[in-house]
Amino acid sequence: MSTMGRIGSYIGRGVRSVSGTLNPFGGAVDIIVVRQPDGSLKSTPWYVRFGKIQGVLKARENAVNVSVNGVEAGFRMNLDNRGQAFFLRERDMENGYSLTTRTSEQLATLNLKEGKNVVVFTCSKQQVDARIYLWRWDANIVISDVDGTITRSDVLGQFMPLVGRDWSQTGVAHLLSAIKENGYQLLFLSARSISQAYLTRQFLFNLMQDGKGLPEGPVVTSPDGLFLSLYREVVKRAPQEFKIACLQEIKALFPYNRNPFYAGFGNRDTDEICYLKVEVPEAKIFTINSKGQIVLKRNTDTMSYSCLHGCVNDLFPPMSSVSSLRRLTM
């Protein structure tokens, strides 16, 4: 079988395992819910798409059932004529309802557990899934780009895993796992389209390096379709347009006087632009090239993921010690 044939076969198998039938244009973006100091909840938008070729866009079949951790939610979504799911605006309700998010009261009914929760969206006989991550208001987030950062290149990093080739950066799993173990939350950010969300999760969380996998964390992709995402990435060369807007949405979930972003890993100038725009500290922006060499902002010396792993407690102090230091300085 040719390389392209193997890629097509792999994609077909991967998506059928979720939806039962081929769904090349459907998917769902992971959702982040943040518990506020007063106990209320805020979430990022719920981006869900069903492919038109799935035959689910008939008027009588446009209701999308939602279940979380195997329990049916007390609300549904609806589909528009493009296959995008949205929430209907309830009449005579207080402000706070929107087409893409839920209120604190509605989120509370989901009984989310801290960390990862599985959400499944079902329309007719088709379904897509995603993850809902519940974080605290005082979480410290480390952002990681995917293509060229976890993988060794932007393009080959997407295709080589589909034909059984490991194209990941050496040492990335051990470093990010150590950061997670020190109490930080990992956010995987990619300009890939929503239709690639499932395969992106599959790649990230099946990656193993010397027995160590990547830590769990939300995988946030573009909510746009495949062609618009490719146009923005390949033709306009402006992935930062999506990434900045996405990170600003996440930042808005936290108290206004608190910046949750602790560090960022990327491989392009556009990643650095994004991180600076949302106030990731300059000293904690790491840029990696295809050779696995990492340059810290404004530093000419290069390192590797393995080198950073060796000094992870200095660059990413365990959160227990950080909390203790804060209490001493208050």
Side-chain angles (χ1 to χ4, degrees):
M1 182 182 292
S2 68
T3 298
M4 291 306 295
R6 291 172 66 185
I7 291 172
S9 175
Y10 181 94
I11 292 174
R13 290 198 306 273
V15 178
R16 284 189 182 93
S17 70
V18 175
S19 62
T21 59
L22 182 62
N23 175 18
F25 299 110
V29 176
D30 284 352
I31 300 158
I32 299 171
V33 175
V34 176
R35 190 179 301 281
Q36 306 300 306
D38 63 1
S40 62
L41 302 170
K42 292 183 180 180
S43 86
T44 52
W46 295 46
Y47 293 121
V48 183
R49 178 188 288 264
F50 286 84
K52 288 187 178 182
I53 67 170
Q54 291 176 269
V56 298
L57 299 185
K58 299 176 183 177
R60 65 180 181 276
E61 296 179 336
N62 68 348
V64 179
N65 292 320
V66 181
S67 66
V68 178
N69 297 329
V71 179
E72 187 171 336
F75 51 80
R76 292 180 174 182
M77 302 184 79
N78 283 66
L79 288 182
D80 64 18
N81 57 11
R82 297 171 298 173
Q84 294 179 338
F86 63 96
F87 294 110
L88 290 174
R89 290 187 185 276
E90 290 84 349
R91 294 181 179 178
D92 301 322
M93 294 290 184
E94 296 180 359
N95 293 332
Y97 286 82
S98 91
L99 299 179
T100 58
T101 60
R102 297 283 76 186
T103 64
S104 175
E105 291 78 11
Q106 290 170 320
L107 292 171
T109 66
L110 300 178
N111 295 316
L112 299 172
K113 60 184 180 181
E114 191 167 332
K116 184 180 74 172
N117 301 265
V118 178
V119 58
V120 178
F121 304 93
T122 305
C123 184
S124 185
K125 297 180 181 179
Q126 314 299 329
Q127 70 177 38
V128 295
D129 65 7
R131 308 292 178 262
I132 301 176
Y133 283 85
L134 176 60
W135 289 346
R136 286 170 45 92
W137 65 271
D138 56 355
N140 287 279
I141 302 171
V142 175
I143 311 161
S144 178
D145 174 50
V146 176
D147 297 312
T149 303
I150 291 175
T151 66
R152 280 185 274 159
S153 72
D154 286 309
V155 178
L156 291 179
Q158 295 193 45
F159 292 108
M160 285 303 187
L162 302 184
V163 294
R165 294 285 302 277
D166 180 8
W167 215 252
S168 60
Q169 297 277 12
T170 301
V172 63
H174 285 272
L175 173 63
L176 295 186
S177 292
I179 292 173
K180 175 79 172 185
E181 289 164 6
N182 278 0
Y184 299 82
Q185 300 293 349
L186 267 295
L187 167 66
F188 299 98
L189 181 63
S190 173
R192 295 182 185 187
S193 74
I194 191 171
S195 59
Q196 296 171 285
Y198 170 76
L199 287 178
T200 303
R201 286 188 210 100
Q202 287 291 99
F203 160 68
L204 290 174
F205 302 126
N206 285 317
L207 175 65
M208 296 294 291
Q209 294 182 333
D210 299 324
K212 178 69 74 171
L214 289 171
E216 291 181 345
V219 178
V220 181
T221 64
S222 166
D224 299 316
L226 181 62
F227 300 111
L228 180 56
S229 297
L230 284 174
Y231 175 78
R232 182 171 52 230
E233 176 92 5
V234 178
V235 180
K236 289 184 67 178
R237 295 185 178 276
Q240 70 273 16
E241 292 179 354
F242 149 70
K243 289 185 175 181
I244 290 173
C246 173
L247 292 174
Q248 287 175 334
E249 285 180 339
I250 294 170
K251 189 175 182 180
L253 302 180
F254 291 83
Y256 73 93
N257 59 348
R258 186 176 184 279
N259 180 16
F261 299 124
Y262 186 86
F265 290 85
N267 72 309
R268 291 184 178 184
D269 290 343
T270 52
D271 292 321
E272 182 180 314
I273 291 171
C274 294
Y275 299 156
L276 290 174
K277 185 70 174 179
V278 296
E279 299 181 299
V280 174
E282 252 186 315
K284 292 294 173 65
I285 297 176
F286 303 87
T287 303
I288 187 165
N289 61 29
S290 59
K291 297 179 181 178
Q293 299 170 326
I294 298 174
V295 177
L296 192 58
K297 178 67 178 171
R298 292 187 175 179
N299 192 329
T300 57
D301 296 330
T302 60
M303 298 171 284
S304 66
Y305 279 128
S306 298
C307 178
L308 288 180
H309 182 228
C311 54
V312 67
N313 288 339
D314 296 322
L315 293 170
F316 300 90
M319 291 312 302
S320 56
S321 63
V322 172
S323 299
S324 297
L325 180 60
R326 285 176 178 169
R327 285 195 295 270
L328 289 174
T329 57
M330 288 178 64

